[in-house]
Amino acid sequence: MPIRQLPVVVVNQIAAGEVVERPASVVKEVLENAIDAGAGRVEILVEGGGVERIEVIDDGCGIPLDELSLAISAHATSKVSAIEDLEHIATMGFRGEALASIGSVSRLELRSRPTSEDAGGLIIVDHGDITPAAPTACPPGTRVLISGLFARVPARRKFLKSAQAETTRIRRVVRDLAAANPEVSFKLASGGRVLLDLPAVEARSRIEACLGGDVAARMLEVKADRDGVSVWGLIGRPELARPTAQHQILSLNGRPIVDFRLRHAVREAFRGLIEPGRHPTMAIFLSVPPDRVDVNVHPAKTEVRFRDDRLVYSCIKRAVEATLDAADIVPPVHIPSVDIKPPPVLFGGRSSQAPSSQAASSFSADEIRAAIASTPSTPTVPVTIVDAARPVIQVHRMFLVTEDAEGILIIDQHALHERVMFERLLERIGQANLPSQRLLMPEMVDASADAIESMESLGPVLSRLGFDVSAGGPGTLTIHAVPSLLSERSVEIGAFVTDLLDRAAELCDMADEETALRDVLDMMACKAAIKAGDNLSERELADLLAMRESIERSSNCPHGRPTTLRLSIEELERRFGRR
Ligand code: ADP
Ligand code: MG
């Protein structure tokens, strides 16, 4: 086929392939334009997940009639004029291709009136066919109406999800832009139902409104400034972590961005406070001088490249860590309010509205005796005084109960011991290799060739930890020495190494040696820690609680599950009707 210049509409459609992936990307582009136009309020109305109709009305600076045709042309923009401008982009848009792309895959009506003009103008692009701009009556600002998105691009339509799912994505786009632009008011409605109504407010209230009122009270502020990089935002306490990343807002210089590395920085900061696979709730806003970041890496402008990404990474990670370390993150226990129902009315006569005190007192003596008799009779260690003022008891050989200034602490003995050991091992290994114990008789375990190979490449990590293992012929691994801790705590060595072999390939794939090391330490701490069911001596109890005070993050085990819960005096007073 001979080489030909493509017609403009085809060029635009090709660009649309990257810029306009789905209705939410259209909403994003049009909203960015409104923000760039200095709008104080923006209203978004969608129908049918945005495929049927998207209407965006703003009160920004507007577009003069004679520039409307440029606005819908590709590579026409009012935001940059020379290549140097790309070094310090301060607007959301700059590529000049959004409206042209949208107009090539839908019917686009653009109405606009600059504040200084008496009348506005209207231009229509119907799948690339342009109806020239003509004067029209309209309020100051811009109104963009897009209908029949992808009506003639069946390939794109096929990849769209249900209207409901597309609406959810639109909502997220609006939410993320709104979070970064609290001074602008946003309203989103779908099919006549208001999904977001966000009046202009200060930054913190906006984030809380975006993430939902139920989380607002449990967010912690993050703030840091380093070498021109500034981080500000709110992170959710560990218990607010969710199974998906939907409650994460990340934005750079007002632009919502997708950046797996930076999200990872936050996850790393939460390491050991949330379970793997869960995502912290967060809204983090980064400011970096525009010349130190390239926003022109992807047509949708959601990916960016930092000139010094390590600095940004560590700045975020440290800021989040500092916030978590300074906060009291022991999860509170809330006692659900149960309605004490009156007993069934046997003989009629008693009103079902009986006050609960009467209901509570109406249990028979027999019932109460039966209830007491059925209480498990596992012996509990008598009250032990750790710190003169703080009694502690072991309950069911599983939990420790003590008090602090705010209330009653309930501690999972295994989880706490595991955390304590983990932190101590981590500290020790930072200084020297862990002590190692040579086995009198080397122990052999079955292993696949792959696992043996992985273990060999983990050699340096394993020897720091105190292991000495070698391939002992096909299908076996020989253990010569193990960390002293494991033998001291009578951990079954064969079983431990078998677990390690199962995870060897995964450990080799980890980002760096430190991550793999922490993982194995984690396994060691878990296996060596006291278990539920272990009876603790007074000394052990005292030791454990003292250690709790001495380490950071003692509130959660290394897997992120809580070690400690707090039942506050306030909650108890409330539940006992004292407040
Ligand atoms: P870009 O935003 O990259 O410049 P667009 O295709 O999104 O490219 O928009 C083209 C131009 O149209 C913008 O540069 C701007 O001058 C103008 N424009 C678009 N939308 C609006 C709006 N809502 N208010 C004012 N001007 C607008
Ligand atoms: Mg734009």
Side-chain angles (χ1 to χ4, degrees):
M1 210 156 59
I3 303 176
R4 268 187 304 244
Q5 181 67 50
L6 289 172
V8 174
V9 61
V10 179
V11 171
N12 289 343
Q13 276 169 350
I14 291 172
E18 295 173 306
V19 183
V20 196
E21 196 195 339
R22 55 190 343 125
S25 18
V26 173
V27 172
K28 170 185 167 295
E29 292 294 337
V30 179
L31 275 188
E32 287 184 353
N33 283 344
I35 294 167
D36 282 345
R41 32 169 304 123
V42 188
E43 207 166 302
I44 308 110
L45 309 160
V46 302
E47 300 285 343
V51 175
E52 279 168 36
R53 185 183 163 99
I54 296 171
E55 187 176 4
V56 177
I57 304 161
D58 71 57
D59 62 355
C61 66
I63 310 167
L65 180 64
D66 59 353
E67 288 186 13
L68 281 174
S69 68
L70 276 174
I72 52 113
S73 309
H75 317 301
T77 176
S78 55
K79 301 167 194 175
V80 292
S81 57
I83 186 77
E84 304 80 58
D85 295 344
L86 286 180
E87 303 244 321
H88 35 81
I89 299 272
T91 48
M92 309 283 293
F94 54 87
R95 300 174 57 102
E97 58 188 354
L99 292 182
S101 299
I102 296 168
S104 72
V105 292
S106 69
R107 180 186 151 92
L108 164 74
E109 284 182 22
L110 177 64
R111 272 185 194 75
S112 197
R113 177 180 146 200
T115 331
S116 55
E117 306 285 329
D118 294 332
L122 165 67
I123 193 164
I124 300 171
V125 196
D126 193 348
H127 294 87
D129 287 340
I130 301 171
T131 307
T136 186
C138 61
T142 303
R143 182 170 149 213
V144 184
L145 176 62
I146 293 142
S147 48
L149 181 63
F150 303 134
R152 296 192 204 154
V153 197
R156 253 304 131 91
R157 263 198 124 125
K158 259 191 268 171
F159 285 97
L160 298 184
K161 303 267 188 288
S162 66
Q164 167 89 50
E166 295 299 334
T167 308
T168 303
R169 286 179 194 245
I170 292 173
R171 187 182 178 283
R172 212 174 306 153
V173 160
V174 178
R175 177 198 73 176
D176 286 8
L177 273 166
N181 295 277
E183 69 293 347
V184 182
S185 88
F186 291 85
K187 191 166 179 175
L188 167 68
S190 163
R193 222 164 59 90
V194 176
L195 300 182
L196 286 170
D197 189 0
L198 302 165
V201 277
E202 41 76 39
R204 182 166 181 145
S205 313
R206 172 58 63 86
I207 300 173
E208 291 175 351
C210 287
L211 290 177
D214 53 328
V215 306
R218 287 179 286 163
M219 301 293 282
L220 305 165
E221 187 170 12
V222 174
K223 200 169 165 51
D225 263 295
R226 211 166 94 209
D227 300 333
V229 175
S230 94
V231 178
W232 180 82
L234 299 179
I235 53 167
R237 290 167 169 280
E239 75 264 19
L240 287 183
R242 309 280 173 113
T244 69
Q246 280 170 25
H247 282 70
Q248 297 196 326
I249 297 175
L250 178 62
S251 129
L252 163 77
N253 298 346
R255 179 192 305 281
I257 54 166
V258 184
D259 192 312
F260 293 105
R261 254 182 72 72
L262 297 186
R263 278 170 211 267
H264 184 261
V266 178
R267 288 265 304 268
E268 275 297 298
F270 270 90
R271 179 191 267 281
L273 294 180
I274 57 175
E275 290 175 48
R278 292 180 79 83
H279 304 263
T281 296
M282 66 178 218
I284 290 191
F285 304 88
L286 264 177
S287 308
V288 175
D291 61 338
R292 283 167 58 186
V293 55
D294 188 356
V295 288
N296 188 25
V297 252
H298 189 270
K301 302 162 291 178
T302 47
E303 283 165 39
V304 297
R305 203 174 290 144
F306 295 99
R307 215 159 72 188
D308 189 352
D309 61 348
R310 285 222 199 127
L311 170 69
V312 182
Y313 183 95
S314 75
C315 202
I316 291 197
K317 180 165 172 264
R318 289 203 198 154
V320 175
E321 275 169 353
T323 298
L324 289 169
D325 290 347
D328 173 7
I329 46 180
V330 173
V333 180
H334 290 292
I335 308 170
S337 55
V338 277
D339 282 335
I340 302 174
K341 293 228 172 61
V345 183
L346 294 178
F347 309 107
R350 196 191 276 171
S351 148
S352 62
Q353 303 293 310
S356 56
S357 57
Q358 191 182 341
S361 65
S362 63
F363 289 110
S364 72
D366 281 350
E367 279 173 300
I368 294 170
R369 235 171 277 129
I372 294 172
S374 70
T375 308
S377 56
T378 316
T380 54
V381 173
V383 174
T384 312
I385 307 301
V386 175
D387 129 16
R390 305 272 186 241
V392 53
I393 55 169
Q394 189 187 24
V395 181
H396 288 221
R397 297 190 194 173
M398 213 188 298
F399 302 110
L400 312 182
V401 179
T402 183
E403 63 169 5
D404 72 354
E406 276 134 75
I408 298 175
L409 296 178
I410 305 161
I411 298 166
D412 177 326
Q413 63 183 40
H414 168 70
L416 176 60
H417 194 213
E418 188 181 355
R419 165 56 84 181
V420 166
M421 298 248 255
F422 178 78
E423 291 298 330
R424 293 203 158 168
L425 291 172
L426 195 62
E427 195 187 314
R428 213 178 302 163
I429 208 161
Q431 292 146 8
N433 289 355
L434 294 187
S436 175
Q437 167 84 52
R438 212 136 265 289
L439 301 184
L440 289 175
M441 287 277 290
E443 204 170 319
M444 316 265 244
V445 285
D446 294 340
S448 70
D450 282 352
I452 292 176
E453 202 184 308
S454 302
M455 288 292 267
E456 277 171 349
S457 56
L458 286 170
V461 173
L462 295 176
S463 63
R464 282 175 70 193
L465 291 162
F467 284 100
D468 180 5
V469 294
S470 65
T476 44
L477 185 82
T478 312
I479 313 164
H480 305 285
V482 295
S484 309
L485 170 86
L486 296 184
S487 48
E488 279 159 22
R489 300 278 316 164
S490 332
V491 173
E492 223 236 288
I493 302 302
F496 186 88
V497 173
T498 306
D499 280 357
L500 199 56
L501 283 162
D502 286 344
R503 301 217 39 220
E506 196 187 324
L507 290 165
C508 280
D509 280 347
M510 287 187 174
D512 51 51
E513 196 170 284
E514 269 340 277
T515 316
L517 183 92
R518 275 168 162 269
D519 249 61
V520 183
L521 278 182
D522 200 0
M523 291 171 69
M524 289 169 51
C526 181
K527 285 286 173 336
I530 52 173
K531 302 278 176 307
D534 287 355
N535 216 346
L536 299 186
S537 69
E538 284 187 21
R539 215 193 113 81
E540 284 170 317
L541 271 177
D543 269 1
L544 192 53
L545 288 189
M547 288 190 280
R548 180 176 180 276
E549 303 292 318
S550 70
I551 59 161
E552 280 180 354
R553 306 190 161 203
S554 64
S555 64
N556 295 69
C557 81
H559 310 287
R561 290 187 290 275
T563 63
T564 309
L565 299 175
R566 182 188 286 118
L567 194 51
S568 70
I569 294 300
E570 211 181 306
E571 177 83 14
L572 287 170
E573 283 180 337
R574 207 168 53 75
R575 298 304 309 159
F576 283 111
R578 288 174 166 273
R579 280 182 175 238

